[in-house]
Structures are given as structure tokens and as C-alpha cells.
Amino acid sequence: MVIGLIGLGKMGRMLYSQMRERNHEVHAHDINAAVSDEVVAEGGCFYDSLEKLVYSLERPRALWLMLPAGTITEAVFQRLLLLLDPEDVLMDGGNAHYKDSMRRAEEAAIAGIHYLDVGTSGGVEGARNGACMMIGGKKEVFSWMETLFKDLTVPSGYLYTGEAGSGHY
């Protein structure tokens, strides 16, 4: 799968490595350009702007946010609403409040964008070697992305939990 990963902090950087090891093509972005050399050394692509990252991906796009909850996630989410196209998929693997995830899913749906909230546990070690994930959103979108969840988790370590917000509940 080709995926855009936004956020290469402790958790995002480890998810990036695991995605690459599982043969996913990863296009990455982080405000810290110093991580670009590591990304490229592992065979990925690094982009210094959200716009460049988004436009590097073929439609329908799949993007994974791995950002701290709150202001930064909201700002990036709002920018992505303007950049993404209908049928693109946006997954939030951070620790957002479930009510924020419910609202974001509604806002994304108005633009025709699919939204999944992905509660990710296991810390840095889990992100690197197999996390546990709870995924909320539309069932058909979960099914479309299920291979990715299977690849990033321990055996039987992911669960579709229902409507948007339930993955972060």
C-alpha cells in the first residue's frame, strides 16, 4: 500500500520503519526536516510540505496522522481538508479526544473524505514491533485499510470498534 505519513516523532518514526519493513511505500512529512535523511535512507520519500506530500500520492490517497492531540492535529486536519479529494482516506493514529474525532469525521464527510480514528497503544516499542489498535469509522473504509492495520499490529492486535470516535474512546 502507498501511504502518506504525517508526523515522525517518537511513535510516527517507529511506525514509519515498520511500514517500510512490511513493504508499504511511505511518503512522509514532518516539520522537523532533520529526519529526512533517515527516511530516505530507509527507502522512503520525504516532503518538506503537506502540499508536496499530498500531491505526491495517487488518488484515492491514504494518509496517516501521527501527531500530538490538540492544536497541532486540528491545524493539520484543517489544512488537509483543503488539499484532499473525495474518496481519500485520512487516519488519525494519535491520541485525540473521541469527540474531536467524531467532529472531524463529520467535517471530512462533508468534503467526501473518509476518516478513521485509530487508537494506538503499545508506546514506541509497539509502534516499532507491533502495536494494538482500535479503529473507528465506516466499516467499508476500515475493510479497505485492514491490511495496513494487520501489518502494524501484533497478531490479532486490531479491532474495528464501530462508528467514528469509537477508536479513540
Side-chain angles (χ1 to χ4, degrees):
M1 174 179 295
V2 178
I3 185 147
L5 177 62
I6 301 166
L8 296 169
K10 292 178 183 177
M11 294 282 288
R13 180 66 183 84
M14 295 298 107
L15 280 173
Y16 168 84
S17 292
Q18 189 171 187
M19 288 177 183
R20 291 291 306 136
E21 283 181 5
R22 302 294 181 144
N23 296 314
H24 296 283
E25 181 181 328
V26 185
H27 296 234
H29 168 71
D30 194 277
I31 59 171
N32 178 9
V35 298
S36 65
D37 291 341
E38 296 174 21
V39 166
V40 172
E42 284 188 47
C45 303
F46 184 86
Y47 298 90
D48 61 4
S49 74
L50 282 176
E51 292 79 8
K52 290 177 185 175
L53 168 70
V54 169
Y55 298 136
S56 76
L57 302 169
E58 290 185 27
R59 296 185 325 205
R61 304 170 182 102
L63 288 102
W64 184 292
L65 295 177
M66 204 63 194
L67 300 168
T71 305
I72 192 165
T73 296
E74 185 64 26
V76 171
F77 172 77
Q78 292 299 328
R79 283 185 59 204
L80 287 171
L81 284 182
L82 300 174
L83 296 171
L84 297 178
D85 293 307
E87 301 305 317
D88 288 346
V89 177
L90 182 56
M91 296 166 277
D92 182 359
N95 60 350
H97 190 273
Y98 76 98
K99 288 185 179 180
D100 289 334
S101 296
M102 292 169 67
R103 176 185 48 78
R104 288 180 184 131
E106 289 176 11
E107 289 181 40
I110 291 168
I113 299 164
H114 302 294
Y115 181 88
L116 297 174
D117 53 294
V118 184
T120 306
S121 66
V124 175
E125 186 69 24
R128 182 65 182 95
N129 298 304
C132 290
M133 296 179 178
M134 299 178 298
I135 301 100
K138 294 191 185 279
K139 177 76 172 181
E140 60 272 15
V141 180
F142 161 78
S143 296
W144 184 22
M145 296 290 116
E146 189 171 8
T147 300
L148 180 63
F149 302 129
K150 183 176 183 178
D151 284 348
L152 296 177
T153 58
V154 297
S156 301
Y158 68 94
L159 175 69
Y160 173 71
T161 54
E163 291 299 313
S166 64
H168 279 151
Y169 184 73

